Amino acid sequence: MVNQTTEHTLKANTVVQVAHSVKEALELKAQRPLSSRLISGGTLIQLEREQGKVLPEQLISLEQIPSLRGIEETEDFMIIGAMTTLSECANVECLKTVIPTVASPAVRNRATLGGNLMYTCGDTIPALIALDAKVTVVDGAEERTVSVIDFLPLRADEPIVTHIHIPKESVESFFYQKVGFRKSFSKSQLTVSSMLCLDNQRVQNNVRFAFSDGERAAMRLTSTEQALVGQQLTKSIIQEASETLRKELALIDTATTYQRTVAKNVFISELINRMEGSFE
Amino acid sequence: MSKSRKRPDGNAKVTGELKYLTDRTFPKMLYAKVLRSAYPHARIRSISTERTKELPGVEAIITHQDVPGVNGFGIITPDQPVFCDDKVRFIGDAIAAVAATSIEVAEEAIKRIDVTYDVLPVLDDPEKSLAEDAPKLREDGNVLYKKNFTKGDVNEGFKRCEAIVEETYHVPRQMHAYMETEGGVVVPEADGGITVYMGTQHGFKDQFQLSRILDLPKESIRIVSSPMGGSFGGKDELNVQPYAALLALKTNKPVKLHQTRAESVISSIKRHPMTITIKTGADKTGNVIAHDVQIVADTGPYATLGPAILDFAVEHSAGPYRFEHVAVNGTSVLTNNAVSGEFRGFGGNQITFALENQMDRLAEQLEQCPTAFRKLNLRGEQDLGPLEQRIVPTTGASDVLKNVEQLKKQIETRKDHPFLRTGVGIAMAMHGGGLGFGRLDGAGGRLSLSDDGKIDVSFGFEEVGQGIVAVIEELTTEALQCDENDITITIGDTNRVPHSGSTTASRGTSMVWHALERMKQEFKEKLCEKAATLTGEPKDELRLGTGGIYKGEVQVLTYRSLRKQLHHDDQVVVETSFDFPTTPDEVDGGHYLYTFAGVLAAVEVDLLTGQVNVTHLHQAISAGEVINELGYKGQIEGGGVMSLGYSIMEDVVMEKGHYTKPNFDTYMLPTISDVPRLTVDAIEKLPDGDGHGPRGVGEIGTVAVAPAITKAIHDALGIWINKIPVDPSIILQAVEKEGGTWWNEFENEQPIASHK
Ligand SMILES: Cc1cc2nc3c(=O)[nH]c(=O)nc-3n(C[C@H](O)[C@H](O)[C@H](O)COP(=O)(O)OP(=O)(O)OC[C@H]3O[C@@H](n4cnc5c(N)ncnc54)[C@H](O)[C@@H]3O)c2cc1C
């Protein structure tokens, strides 16, 4: 008898459903709230699968929802669809220093901004906090727009992110640095970002400092911000801010000494760089 | 002759057109998976495959009971079980394997194999293994091997020293990280034998090892082993060949086994982590009088080449220097960590890091220039080798040192940025080629005129990505004065190639050259003789050339027509076999041919993050003639980048015998962004009358990089590093201890704004 080989495959455990509108995605999600998950670029989900996480029974793809793609410019905002890839986002002026630090070119061609915001410690999050970005989310029937920092705890309910609105503030006043384990394509050890607008060397009200430890959700460093608001950026103010920052970072008990020291150093170096005439 | 010829295998590799052995498929092919241990150290109480048998698509399940021959492998001692029966000794130990009709079924099947264990204490550090009450990993204890070397009396020597440096150095477990993970296909043949399509560095050794395991005659096992996607020493030892072979024989179907990266990380061998304690002393003028070295290597649970690697480290403990009194004690210790084995540099990288750091520290203590201090202690052309054995005369040591010294003078120290410090460091190394005295180190090759009228040149070497095909092409066309269209190159198939020994120990280029030197005259004469008979031209006036046989500038016969006109049985074949040249002195493991590297590294240290940015890596190499420029540069630059990873980022960290970085998302290798400016100077000159030809350069580019980088960090910040990869938090601590150099400057300087 001929030795026949028939291929046996296991029953697939995961079904991918393609939604064509946000409404349809919501309906699909409502059908199996506990055993489904949205998928955009799928790069995080792929990473998690490689790490041994089991895929849910249903993946709801947002790829075929045109309204979630693209970048629109209004007078005050850059409005970015959640399904816009990181590679496309690199064209947005204020994200020019941010996007190249995330993953690799190939990953960025698939990865989306919405997906990055939903990733616990997505590298764009500290930047979006510093930029005071807002997020539009649809949760059940409701659609709302909230600031990124307020959005972070809402992620647990798995809403659909539809758009990210970035105010067109001064790009020169924006700062971002990711500290990885090598020069590119690395997990973050820590990521910091700030917005520091100066008028005649005086710190304006919209000062924002954000910190992420590369594991947990990013946070704002409000005491440090308070110490700077309205102050003239001088050596002694920087010295004071440095001390406040040190204390504020010390309160983050999940952070390592290395992370705290580097975060402080990097922020302070940015203040020094911004101070007129320093190190000249 | 174009020395910068493109690699014959280059285009197909770069375009992705080339099929690797792991890309092959065969009709009716099955897929295999190996079940590895759940614990780093445990007694196996039971193995049950009952639940696997029910799974449709599973065609065979094998355990230790299914090994017909020796249940073990190892290039020297077969002490690593193919399948564990009573005990597992590291997390990569194999317990069972499955062949199924798809990868998914095979994966599910191994999950259904039930193994019960009695967990044993984990020896995750050589120190623990050496403790009195440590459980024994083998009957005679936990020391795999010891190697000592003494010259003079160090204790007497230290009495005469004015400056003494004593330090302990730690070097990491590095991963080869070849692009193509282990695997391929094993195909059962009609005659009861098998063909193994899997990458290796030594096809005939795999054939031998498999024959022992499978209890099959060697002739029944054909190994097809080139091309492969990288090895760096990592595939010289057997890896997954036995599993696919056993399953193919059991099912009588082709079986594919290709490890995922995560599976590869778990099971593959790694570079030996070592702890090296050295005490070195010099007199007032800077002559090193005494050098006392203790090496402890974490070799994992099985031997593979652990002893030979320790021998190599011990041999190179004093590197290119001549010290009056030397004592080296090396111990290779068994642990429940990853199996450590062969890796580009072969123990030289570890010891060179420690030795070169000692030299720099001593120079500082003596307030001498590190280069002048090295020169003072450097070997001369006619000096004995490091084991006091006779070696081939060489000026390599002083040549490479001069080269980097010159460059260092030219590099302007750039004005420091407030948050950056820059530094430059140099280091050097001496590295033996071949396996050393007393080791079977046969080589050979074959030239023949094949039926299609091509000159076939054949070696038992493997193309692992290093460029041996380009070297063979270059040397053959040069030796025979023909061109690349006249020749075919046959490698990587035990059915078709002669024994050349392993593609290891920087021996490939050297052995190809030697083989051709031995064969070329006889081969040319044979061809000319046949041509003379056929054409009636006087034999002595004929010569080989492009496309055929020439008389003067006139072609009298093409190779093709020569072949056609010969009787079929009239074969033109020249073969040679010989041994890699060794020292005439009976010094076990002692080398004879050495290469040298001088390295200059420039770094920028970020004071805010403690991170090190290597900005320039220069290597001066003394290894005789360059055979292929691109290949040579590729080896040195690639080796440099590999060691940049070793110096500042790579470490296969294990905690309690488990890998903490199981994949490339956390195990950091340099990417193209981390690659600094790379420059290579080849010093080709050899002493007059050197008849040994070009030396191999597969390893030398990796050996002295780390100490150059750490010296550059010292130059930048004034801190000594005794552990690699360099930990940015240690650098940051050092910077912060001084109150943060940049912060002090800021606090103490008057910013211009406040002047206004
Ligand atoms: C090799 C590799 C390297 C990486 N490196 C980095 C890195 O350096 N920095 C970094 O930040 N990330 C990194 N990532 C993670 C990931 O690629 C990015 O975070 C990416 O932006 C995720 O986007 P995505 O569209 O692929 O998300 P997906 O994988 O599709 O989804 C991610 C999560 O977001 C949810 N989600 C997706 N879209 C929406 C939406 N519109 N509304 C609500 N929920 C949504 C999904 O349900 C899922 O939980 C890396 C991933 C890989 C594979």
Side-chain angles (χ1 to χ4, degrees), chain A residues 3 5-6 8 10 51 179-180 182-184 189 235 239 258 261-262 265 268-269 272 275-277 280, chain B residues 28 57 101-102 105 253 608-609 611 613 665 669 671 673-674 729 732 736 742-743 746-747 749 752-753:
Chain A
N3 194 350
T5 306
T6 38
H8 292 266
L10 296 177
Q51 289 166 347
V179 179
R182 63 184 168 202
K183 283 196 202 148
S184 64
Q189 300 198 61
K235 201 162 107 174
Q239 282 166 329
Y258 179 74
T261 314
V262 174
N265 287 350
I268 298 302
S269 72
I272 295 176
M275 190 178 91
E276 225 169 70
E280 274 179 20
Chain B
K28 294 187 196 153
T101 52
S102 72
V105 173
K253 288 180 186 171
L608 305 174
T609 64
Q611 288 183 323
N613 176 18
D665 55 343
L669 296 155
T671 74
S673 326
D674 301 288
S729 71
L732 201 59
E736 295 283 315
W742 59 276
W743 179 248
F746 172 69
E747 286 202 316
E749 222 171 79
I752 293 172

Side-chain angles (χ1 to χ4, degrees), chain B residues 251-300:
Chain B
T251 58
N252 201 28
K253 288 180 186 171
V255 172
K256 182 169 201 160
L257 205 177
H258 187 193
Q259 301 216 84
T260 63
R261 182 62 65 182
E263 289 164 349
S264 170
V265 172
I266 288 174
S267 58
S268 64
I269 58 168
K270 312 286 185 302
R271 189 190 293 285
H272 281 80
M274 290 186 190
T275 301
I276 302 170
T277 302
I278 313 191
K279 184 174 167 188
T280 313
D283 66 14
K284 235 190 326 232
T285 51
N287 292 304
V288 174
I289 308 286
H291 186 56
D292 187 2
V293 184
Q294 315 284 332
I295 304 170
V296 177
D298 175 349
T299 204

